[in-house]
Amino acid sequence: MDFRLAPEHPYPAQLDDVETAYRWLLSQGYEPRNIGSTGHSIGGTLAILLVLRLLAKGEPTPGAIVSVSPWTDLTLQNKSVDANEENDKILSRATLEFFRGAWCRTPPSTPPTPGSASPTPT
């Protein structure tokens, strides 16, 4: 599916679009257990966020999540961001900060806790 893109449409516009697509599938008679939430990169993040949003609302979730290379820590507090700077010339701290700023207006201040799987910006 196509979703609105940042920076013209900051987060949570993309998640709203994903939820709209999910609800459309439900309206067409698909059972949640027969729907997969999938994505790559920021799409992988949205695949997870859709399920977290639905859980927070107490609503049925898709039967599967396939999330390839999601961005799950928008705080950039993980030490590997700086430790890998010499090895990863594409995803430097500066590049990640640029993308984060383009995607969400207010970066999160705390990283997800182990087991929470929550990359939600605050």
Side-chain angles (χ1 to χ4, degrees), residues 22-46:
Y22 175 73
R23 293 192 185 288
W24 181 84
L25 289 170
L26 293 175
S27 76
Q28 299 303 300
Y30 289 92
E31 294 290 326
R33 69 175 189 268
N34 294 326
I35 298 172
S37 183
T38 66
H40 175 263
S41 190
I42 210 65
T45 303
L46 293 169

Side-chain angles (χ1 to χ4, degrees), residues 3 15 18 35-52 62-73 103 116-120:
F3 52 80
L15 183 55
V18 171
I35 298 172
S37 183
T38 66
H40 175 263
S41 190
I42 210 65
T45 303
L46 293 169
I48 296 168
L49 285 174
L50 171 64
V51 173
L52 293 173
I65 302 172
V66 178
S67 181
V68 179
S69 298
W71 190 355
T72 58
D73 181 10
W103 190 51
S116 76
S118 177
T120 308

Side-chain angles (χ1 to χ4, degrees), residues 8-105:
E8 295 81 11
H9 305 280
Y11 178 88
Q14 302 79 15
L15 183 55
D16 294 340
D17 292 346
V18 171
E19 184 178 1
T20 297
Y22 175 73
R23 293 192 185 288
W24 181 84
L25 289 170
L26 293 175
S27 76
Q28 299 303 300
Y30 289 92
E31 294 290 326
R33 69 175 189 268
N34 294 326
I35 298 172
S37 183
T38 66
H40 175 263
S41 190
I42 210 65
T45 303
L46 293 169
I48 296 168
L49 285 174
L50 171 64
V51 173
L52 293 173
R53 178 183 269 188
L54 294 169
L55 286 170
K57 294 178 178 182
E59 297 181 18
T61 61
I65 302 172
V66 178
S67 181
V68 179
S69 298
W71 190 355
T72 58
D73 181 10
L74 294 171
T75 67
L76 303 178
Q77 291 182 20
N78 190 307
K79 294 177 184 177
S80 67
V81 171
D82 297 315
N84 288 330
E85 187 109 14
E86 288 299 313
N87 299 320
D88 190 342
K89 301 299 182 185
I90 296 173
L91 295 177
S92 66
R93 175 173 291 282
T95 300
L96 291 170
E97 288 174 349
F98 171 79
F99 287 135
R100 179 182 64 187
W103 190 51
C104 59
R105 288 184 182 137

